[in-house]
Amino acid sequence: MGDIMLRRSHPSGGLRSQAADGSSVVTAVLPREAESVPVARRLVRHTLADWRLPQLIDAAELVVSELSANAVEHARHASVRVTLQRRPGNRVRVAVTDKSTDLPVLLPLADDAESGRGLALIAAVACQWGTDPLPWGKRVWADLEPEQGQEEPSCAPMYAGHRAQLLYVLIVVTLGVLVGLAVISGTP
């Protein structure tokens, strides 16, 4: 991903920086444990909301979940690095770096397999994905981009956090109930 200069902390706990090409980067080093997978999803969710790319949140959360879970399961070092890079054309690269030199393998899907579908899911939602072997490990990445015509968010508000989404739904439902009660009781 090129040389990265540290700038400041991101509200989600990651470090905000700028790559040598000027693109925005948010990165976080997380412990190699299962509890880090939801932390990685939260980093993705908050970063993409901050970048005003809510249409990529679901796919990016799926990608970072699969890549982080693979690193937790297969790597042998105490930590992993999660990186998001905003590239030209609103393309976003989601990457997980670990210190295992074992490269991931896209397995054929078997009906009775209990695992091994992660890379197939990533390949299905990403416009491109790959692995960069490093002298001490590897970086597995996936590029996501909005579909044509989805560059701008829709007119309906998009809330990045599940709590905010729940609160929004609760408000809308409450207003609907109050309007319904007002109509039933004949009050204007």
Side-chain angles (χ1 to χ4, degrees), residues 45-138:
R45 191 170 43 253
H46 289 287
T47 301
L48 292 178
D50 184 46
W51 288 347
R52 300 197 187 320
L53 293 170
Q55 65 275 31
L56 295 180
I57 290 174
D58 290 338
E61 282 184 322
L62 175 107
V63 168
V64 81
S65 293
E66 293 299 332
L67 294 180
S68 299
N70 283 351
V72 165
E73 183 178 347
H74 300 292
R76 297 295 168 241
H77 191 265
S79 62
V80 298
R81 178 181 301 273
V82 176
T83 306
L84 285 94
Q85 181 179 16
R86 186 172 187 171
R87 306 183 88 163
N90 284 332
R91 182 177 275 206
V92 173
R93 176 163 287 184
V94 179
V96 173
T97 305
D98 64 58
K99 291 194 175 182
S100 169
T101 56
D102 295 337
L103 300 180
V105 177
L106 179 60
L107 301 172
L109 299 178
D111 290 339
D112 57 344
E114 294 181 14
S115 63
R117 288 176 162 62
L119 289 177
L121 289 171
I122 291 168
V125 300
C127 56
Q128 187 176 348
W129 75 275
T131 304
D132 298 329
L134 304 168
W136 42 264
K138 67 180 171 301

Side-chain angles (χ1 to χ4, degrees), residues 30 33-43 45 61 65 68:
L30 303 173
E33 54 191 39
E35 292 79 14
S36 292
V37 176
V39 174
R41 281 194 300 268
R42 196 167 35 256
L43 175 74
R45 191 170 43 253
E61 282 184 322
S65 293
S68 299

Side-chain angles (χ1 to χ4, degrees), residues 142-187:
D143 286 349
L144 304 168
E145 58 187 17
E147 293 181 24
Q148 292 290 51
Q150 284 191 348
E151 294 294 324
E152 295 297 319
S154 66
C155 295
M158 181 66 175
Y159 297 97
H162 294 292
R163 287 184 182 143
Q165 290 173 354
L166 182 60
L167 181 60
Y168 178 75
V169 169
L170 184 61
I171 291 169
V172 170
V173 169
T174 302
L175 287 174
V177 169
L178 289 175
V179 169
L181 289 174
V183 169
I184 291 172
S185 67
T187 343

